[in-house]
Structure formats: structure tokens, C-alpha cells
Amino acid sequence: MNTDISISQVLILAAILFSLGLIGVAIRRNVLFMLISVEIMLNAAGLAFIAAGAKWNQPDGQIMFLFILTMAAAEVSIGLALIMQIYHQHQSLDIDKVNEMKG
Amino acid sequence: MNLLFSISSVIAIVSTLMVITRKHPVHALLYLIVSFLAIAVVIYQLGAPFIAILELIIYAGAIMVLFIFTMMLLNLGKETIDQERKWLQPQTWTGPVLLSLILLVELIYLLSKSSSQEHAITGMDTKIVAQTLFGPYLILVELAALLLTAGIVGAAHIGQHKRRVSHRFLEEYNE
């Protein structure tokens, strides 16, 4: 398959998606939406890996996407278990109420 | 400029924008699935059909099902939407959005300045990817298996319900 996409366009798309995920983490107070935004950021990083692998014609970019996928699956299972525990202890998903550690 | 790439990237950006502004979690998840579909189209055009299918199966399938199960268990209702409407005021989000947009403009400037030559993308064979994955990267595959096992054990440990009382002697004194 030959397409005429230049790599900088795909990288700009990945940068826009990453910034949207960053904005989502910054502006939401709901833990669930923050986890969704982290997923968006991980996906944008994977897209950048795919683009780089396609530019240099190496299989390493796709392999890195596979490992990002694995890491996202493990991270989401742990994060959702933490969200369930937070909701059962505080009856709320507000991130500002979970300040017991006083870091 | 490829037309298909332009359409799918615009769909991805718009649906991601809808994800981070929705009040209801289920609406946000539906827009997130649309965003993943559009990114899968982009990945397919980059010559990686296997990764595009994996994006659909694992991201839009498995991870979204996890999110939906959690929402069902949490039973988020109308009061959550009112709470979100109260939290999402303009004076809270203008600062982070402005700073992130400045960073994005810098990033776009750097990316568009560096490499401007058109580069023909040829599809990468999945066989080569598999041979590299189970050849030089074999130790990383085993580490990924270890990570998933640790994720399962951690989720099962964190997700279980604990008693409110922290110590059995304190419970005796209370009663």
C-alpha cells in the first residue's frame, strides 16, 4: 500500500491528540475522566511510534505499540480497581477528596 | 495530502475534543470509541494493518468494556452530571488549556519545520514484525507477560472489600 502521507502530518496529529489528553487530565476533577484522558495520551504516543516506524521502515515502532497496548491494559485494570476502592470509601469520585496521604 | 487521512484525523480530533468536554461518562466513552476507530484508520494508512486491528480489538473492545463495567458498578446517575457541570467552570479550565495550547503550537512548529519532504510509506509485513518481536525482543515479551500477571494480582488485591475497622483490638474496645 503506497500512500502519500508525510510523517510530519501524522506526528502533528499525535501531538494534537496528546495535548487534548493533557488538557483533559488538567481540567477534569473526576477520576474516571482523568483515566480516560491518560488513555488518550497513551494512544497518541503509540501513534507517534507507528509513524516513526513507518518513516524508517523498521518493525520496531509496531513492536513498541504492542508493548504500549500491554501497559495500557495493565494500567487500566489497576486504575479502575483503585477507582472502585476510592468510590466505596469516599462515596465520590472527586480527586480533591482523596488527600489522605498529605503529600 | 491524502483525503482519507485528512477526514479520519479531523474525526479523531473532534471526537477527542468531545471526550474531554462531556458531562456524562457514557457519552464520553462513545466518543472515545469513535476516536479509536478514526486512529485505527490512520494506522491502517500508515501500512500497519495488524496494529490497526489490535487497536480495534484491545482499545475499543477490551479496555472500553472494562470502563463500562466500572460505570455500571459505580451506578453514576444524574447527580454526577450536575456535579460535573458545577466543576467544569471556565475559570478552572482556561489556564491549563491556554498553557497546553502554547505547548501544542510550539510542537507543531517544530514538527512542520524539521522534515517537509514527502516520504512514500510502504506497508510493513506482519511476518517481519512477528520475527522481530519473538527474536531480539523476546525478553520484553516475557516482561510484558509478567506485567500483565502483576496487573491481575494487583487488581484482585486492590478491588476486594476491606473492613472499616483497622485493627481487631480497636474493634473490641469499640464494642
Side-chain angles (χ1 to χ4, degrees):
Chain A
M1 174 181 20
N2 279 310
T3 52
D4 53 350
I5 307 169
S6 74
I7 292 303
S8 60
Q9 293 170 357
V10 188
L11 288 180
I12 285 172
L13 172 64
I16 291 172
L17 290 177
F18 191 87
S19 305
L20 284 176
L22 185 65
I23 290 172
V25 171
I27 71 175
R28 301 308 289 255
R29 280 174 68 188
N30 196 329
V31 195
L32 205 55
F33 281 98
M34 292 174 76
L35 202 59
I36 289 174
S37 304
V38 169
E39 287 302 311
I40 294 171
M41 289 166 74
L42 281 175
N43 204 9
L47 183 62
F49 266 113
I50 296 280
K55 177 175 171 57
W56 302 107
N57 211 3
Q58 294 289 320
D60 302 283
Q62 301 190 22
I63 289 168
M64 281 303 149
F65 187 86
L66 284 177
F67 289 129
I68 288 176
L69 207 63
T70 313
M71 199 268 292
E75 174 253 341
V76 124
S77 63
I78 296 285
L80 286 175
L82 277 174
I83 284 177
M84 297 277 300
Q85 203 67 28
I86 286 171
Y87 189 75
H88 280 129
Q89 291 197 354
H90 297 268
Q91 305 300 324
S92 167
L93 286 180
D94 189 359
I95 196 67
D96 287 341
K97 283 187 183 168
V98 196
N99 56 355
E100 291 170 333
M101 294 179 80
K102 309 284 183 195
Chain B
M1 186 85 178
N2 198 343
L3 184 64
L4 210 55
F5 169 74
S6 309
I7 294 172
S8 50
S9 58
V10 166
I11 288 175
I13 291 168
V14 169
S15 56
T16 308
L17 201 60
M18 297 296 270
V19 169
I20 63 172
T21 52
R22 288 305 94 186
K23 308 282 193 302
H24 201 288
V26 177
H27 297 172
L29 276 190
L30 289 177
Y31 277 114
L32 188 60
I33 290 175
V34 175
S35 167
F36 284 155
L37 295 181
I39 293 174
V41 173
V42 173
I43 290 174
Y44 178 73
Q45 283 177 315
L46 284 172
F50 179 61
I51 301 293
I53 292 298
L54 273 187
E55 165 106 12
L56 288 187
I57 291 174
I58 296 182
Y59 264 119
I63 294 180
M64 286 308 109
V65 165
L66 269 181
F67 271 107
I68 287 174
F69 267 135
T70 311
M71 279 170 199
M72 283 168 56
L73 287 175
L74 292 184
N75 199 10
L76 302 171
K78 189 77 172 65
E79 65 272 12
T80 313
I81 303 170
D82 298 335
Q83 211 173 22
E84 285 290 324
R85 190 167 290 124
K86 197 176 64 190
W87 283 347
L88 214 56
Q89 299 291 334
Q91 73 260 17
T92 58
W93 57 257
T94 40
V97 167
L98 275 180
L99 293 177
S100 301
L101 284 183
I102 291 171
L103 281 178
L104 176 64
V105 167
E106 278 185 352
L107 210 53
I108 286 177
Y109 173 69
L110 284 176
L111 286 175
S112 59
K113 199 183 64 166
S114 59
S115 68
S116 60
Q117 79 275 10
E118 292 283 320
H119 189 272
I121 292 170
T122 58
M124 171 79 54
D125 197 4
T126 312
K127 191 176 174 183
I128 304 171
V129 178
Q131 280 172 350
T132 317
L133 182 64
F134 291 106
Y137 284 100
L138 188 59
I139 185 71
L140 273 180
V141 174
E142 292 177 358
L143 282 178
L146 204 62
L147 175 70
L148 284 177
T149 312
I152 290 172
V153 173
H157 176 68
I158 293 171
Q160 66 185 351
H161 285 276
K162 292 187 180 66
R163 285 169 167 262
R164 286 291 176 143
V165 283
S166 57
H167 200 271
R168 56 175 190 266
F169 297 125
L170 292 176
E171 189 181 14
E172 283 180 3
Y173 285 134
N174 285 332
E175 291 171 359

